[in-house]
Amino acid sequence: MADRPLTLMAVHAHPDDEATGTGGVLARYAAEGIRTVLVTCTDGGCGDGPGGVKPGDPGHDPAAVASMRRRELEVSRDVLKISDLETLDYADSGMMGWPSNDAPGSFWQTPVEEGAARLAELMRHYRPDVVVTYDENGFYGHPDHIQAHRITMAALEMTGLTPKVYWTTMPHSLMRRFGEIMHEFSEDMPEPDPAEAAALAEIGLPDDEITTWVDTLAFSGQKFDALAAHASQGESIFFLKMGKEVFGELMGTETFVRVKGPTGAAVPETDLFAGLR
């Protein structure tokens, strides 16, 4: 380890995911001198186009959206001080059930072995000490998040590397608070359908099942600015409506489940690199 820096690799599905789930840890560990590597798997072409035009609507150009989102990703990278950005550039698959799920070349249609082989090559190059991605359900069921999970875990098997591995999550207590704040900032928001409310309540994990709580409050401003860098998607990034103070209150801790931990560091832990330094 003396001849290389400690390295964090975050594997995300789309431009803007790096800020939402891991903006705090990427900024914090960069500030601590750790090498931070972001792998973004898709081009984000199923995001909103200029003026908020939606995929499938007249005027939505996936290639133009992808180009715009790549520029935004570069700005976010600079805000978070990410050392290395790698893009696999698979076509965005869209939300579960969209026709784009079945499009040739979409990430969802890509054989796991193919995507894993490309990611394994990056892992061999960077030799990460910590790898972060999503759980088996992609946190909330998005096909590209699920596929990012699959190729990450398969790539780890291919390489034989043994980093600490984490899946992003949120504690149920924070999800409840998030629901309250959504209504505070969206007075015209109708009461959620009971089934939708129940589904929201199931996202994340009970607080006592979370292994890792990382304090990123000092970097919440950077995280907010990184999200704001993805301006084309602002309509769907609810967090930006809160302002930095409330955002910091809600998003000043990032939480994870440790699924591989060769160091044997005790849990709960407050540092992804516990046992490594």
Side-chain angles (χ1 to χ4, degrees):
M1 295 240 309
D3 60 345
R4 63 182 181 85
L6 284 171
T7 300
L8 165 65
M9 176 179 282
V11 182
H12 282 292
H14 311 98
D16 77 24
D17 290 332
E18 81 289 340
T20 306
T22 56
V25 293
L26 287 167
R28 170 179 163 167
Y29 290 122
E32 293 179 6
I34 286 171
R35 188 176 198 177
T36 51
V37 181
L38 169 63
V39 181
T40 301
C41 296
T42 81
D43 61 10
C46 284
D48 292 350
V53 63
K54 304 297 181 185
D57 288 348
H60 187 278
D61 180 350
V65 171
S67 178
M68 175 176 59
R69 296 194 73 183
R70 174 57 190 258
R71 293 192 296 272
E72 293 173 341
L73 179 61
E74 294 282 0
V75 176
S76 175
R77 175 210 181 160
D78 290 344
V79 169
L80 297 173
K81 311 298 184 187
I82 293 168
S83 310
D84 300 88
L85 171 62
E86 301 283 354
T87 55
L88 301 185
D89 286 327
Y90 289 108
D92 190 340
S93 309
M95 300 296 285
M96 190 67 81
W98 286 13
S100 49
N101 294 174
D102 301 321
S106 73
F107 192 34
W108 188 237
Q109 289 299 313
T110 299
V112 170
E113 296 76 13
E114 176 190 321
R118 293 182 63 195
L119 182 56
E121 184 177 347
L122 294 175
M123 288 181 173
R124 293 187 188 101
H125 173 71
Y126 289 108
R127 303 190 68 82
D129 302 283
V130 172
V131 172
V132 176
T133 192
Y134 315 100
D135 63 17
E136 304 100 319
N137 191 45
F139 184 58
Y140 69 99
H142 193 297
D144 288 331
H145 290 227
I146 294 170
Q147 191 76 329
H149 162 85
R150 290 173 176 170
I151 73 163
T152 301
M153 303 311 289
L156 288 165
E157 290 294 325
M158 287 180 180
T159 62
L161 296 173
T162 56
K164 296 177 78 178
V165 180
Y166 293 88
W167 296 342
T168 58
T169 191
M170 277 195 175
H172 284 170
S173 59
L174 183 60
M175 292 304 297
R176 288 191 295 270
R177 178 65 180 135
F178 178 62
E180 293 168 0
I181 288 179
M182 285 181 68
H183 281 279
E184 290 174 17
F185 282 83
S186 304
E187 294 179 359
D188 57 348
M189 180 181 291
E191 286 297 321
D193 175 87
E196 292 179 358
L200 183 65
E202 290 302 312
I203 292 177
L205 289 171
D207 292 35
D208 61 1
E209 293 183 18
I210 291 173
T211 65
T212 311
W213 304 69
V214 183
D215 179 1
T216 59
L217 181 59
F219 303 93
S220 61
Q222 276 176 265
K223 180 171 177 171
F224 184 94
D225 290 344
L227 271 175
H230 296 281
S232 68
Q233 309 307 304
E235 181 181 323
S236 59
I237 302 177
F238 172 80
F239 301 108
L240 296 177
K241 300 176 183 177
M242 303 176 182
K244 285 189 176 180
E245 184 175 349
V246 176
F247 180 86
E249 171 202 330
L250 191 66
M251 307 293 285
T253 300
E254 291 183 350
T255 50
F256 306 87
V257 173
R258 193 177 81 195
V259 293
K260 292 181 183 291
T263 67
V267 294
E269 60 186 357
T270 58
D271 180 8
L272 298 179
F273 288 85
L276 293 172
R277 54 179 178 168

